[in-house]
Amino acid sequence: KPIQHKNLNTLLLCFLLPVLKQSNLLFSFITTNKNNPSQLSSLFMAPLFSLLLFSLIFSSSQAQRPPSPGYSPSSKFGSITFAQGFKNLWGPKHQSLNHDSLTIWLDSSSGSGFKSLHPYRSGYFSTAVKLQPGYTAGVITSYYLSNNQQHPGNHDEIDIEFLGTTPDKPYTLQTNVYVRGSGDGNIIGREMKFHLWFDPTQDFHNYAILWDPSEIIFFVDDVPIRSYPRKSDATFPVRPMWVYGSIWDASSWATENGKYKADYKYQPFVGKYMDFKLIGCKSDGPTSCRSPSVTPSGTTGLTSQQSSALAWVQNNYLVYDYCHDPKRDHTQTPEC
């Protein structure tokens, strides 16, 4: 059925305005003339111009999402219930289970944390997380591997941490690796921080760590965002670790290096978890056990398509890389 030019332009304008605002393309023009309908309509009067603009903006909005990695390892591994793989570690009154969904929260009296039933020496570990919107500065919601209880002052750790924020700024996802006490007193973190290409407060998204003897890979919705290869025994965690999750007050550093603190007038601060996957080699398991592969061919590492997706994320959403921080002493991080 033929569409009148005026109707087509109106339809396109309604679609394009929010996208234009996000991309800042012609937004200054629209803002300047927002009270001048004739000026705005003249801009969009020609159907050909509208269609070309639609194509341009659609391509721009598509560019805000990562290219497909071509494979979804999370769909290949079965989920377990919380009770099948975890137990409460602290803050039991700040934790609740509803079917297969776990909710933990922080208020002025306590936060909460959980821990896997078994330690692992390698594996694929994932969960889906939904974060709290609004003011969450100073609050960290996390999913990580660690052996800090077994090796206090000399522990290993692989972190996914969501750094709370103020309502006008996005969450930061921090990945980190500590090796043999580098996080105990003598802080040698290996942080890489990212913004996300979606709002993590609107729905559950999958976050995963692959830890095998040669490499650590971090995933968001099956898109690899960071690879940390084993370049030497001194810079790679090899001792068994447990899987943890927690929510806690890290006001001293979490949000813009401590500029914004946790404000308990916004309590409780809530983190929701579901779809747990612990596909690994337990520390007391057979020596023949091998980490699962995250490629369709079953090989180690990433495919070329996965590597391209990783490079795209780091080119577009990486906001901090410890290897490129001029304030760091890089004699302590030889892997850089």
Side-chain angles (χ1 to χ4, degrees), residues 66-105:
S68 170
Y71 186 68
S72 300
S74 67
S75 66
K76 309 302 178 183
F77 306 130
S79 301
I80 60 172
T81 66
F82 176 81
Q84 287 174 319
F86 296 93
K87 62 181 179 182
N88 174 262
L89 180 62
W90 61 284
K93 294 183 179 180
H94 289 67
Q95 177 176 311
S96 68
L97 273 172
N98 182 16
H99 301 294
D100 291 333
S101 176
L102 173 74
T103 300
I104 58 176
W105 61 93

Side-chain angles (χ1 to χ4, degrees), residues 94-96 101-107 110-112 129-136 139-142 162 171 200-201 204 246-248 266-273:
H94 289 67
Q95 177 176 311
S96 68
S101 176
L102 173 74
T103 300
I104 58 176
W105 61 93
L106 166 72
D107 60 26
S110 179
S112 187
V129 181
K130 183 179 180 181
L131 300 173
Q132 176 161 315
Y135 188 99
T136 56
V139 178
I140 286 184
T141 309
S142 66
F162 301 96
Y171 268 93
T201 72
F204 284 90
S246 63
I247 189 167
W248 56 289
Y266 299 107
Q267 69 178 17
F269 303 102
V270 175
K272 295 182 178 181
Y273 298 74

Side-chain angles (χ1 to χ4, degrees), residues 146-148 151-157 177-190 234-239 241 332:
S146 180
N147 51 32
N148 64 318
H151 304 285
N154 183 35
H155 85 287
D156 309 292
E157 193 165 305
V177 179
Y178 288 126
V179 182
R180 291 191 174 273
S182 64
D184 302 294
N186 181 27
I187 301 296
I188 308 173
R190 294 168 172 83
T235 61
F236 197 85
V238 295
R239 298 177 296 180
M241 290 189 275
Q332 297 180 323

Side-chain angles (χ1 to χ4, degrees), residues 71-73 77 124 210 217 219 292-296 298-299 301-303 306:
Y71 186 68
S72 300
F77 306 130
Y124 174 91
L210 174 73
I217 305 174
F219 294 85
S293 171
V294 293
T295 68
T299 58
L302 298 172
T303 66
Q306 288 173 316

Side-chain angles (χ1 to χ4, degrees), residues 187-191 235 320-336:
I187 301 296
I188 308 173
R190 294 168 172 83
E191 303 92 344
T235 61
Y320 176 83
D321 183 346
Y322 74 107
C323 282
H324 298 151
D325 186 345
K327 298 178 182 178
R328 297 290 296 267
D329 178 3
H330 291 295
T331 63
Q332 297 180 323
T333 54
E335 70 278 2
C336 289

Side-chain angles (χ1 to χ4, degrees), residues 13-34:
L13 183 58
C14 290
F15 174 80
L16 290 170
L17 279 175
V19 184
L20 286 168
K21 182 175 180 180
Q22 183 175 355
S23 66
N24 291 322
L25 183 63
L26 298 183
F27 184 57
S28 59
F29 178 88
I30 293 171
T31 303
T32 303
N33 295 281
K34 63 183 179 181

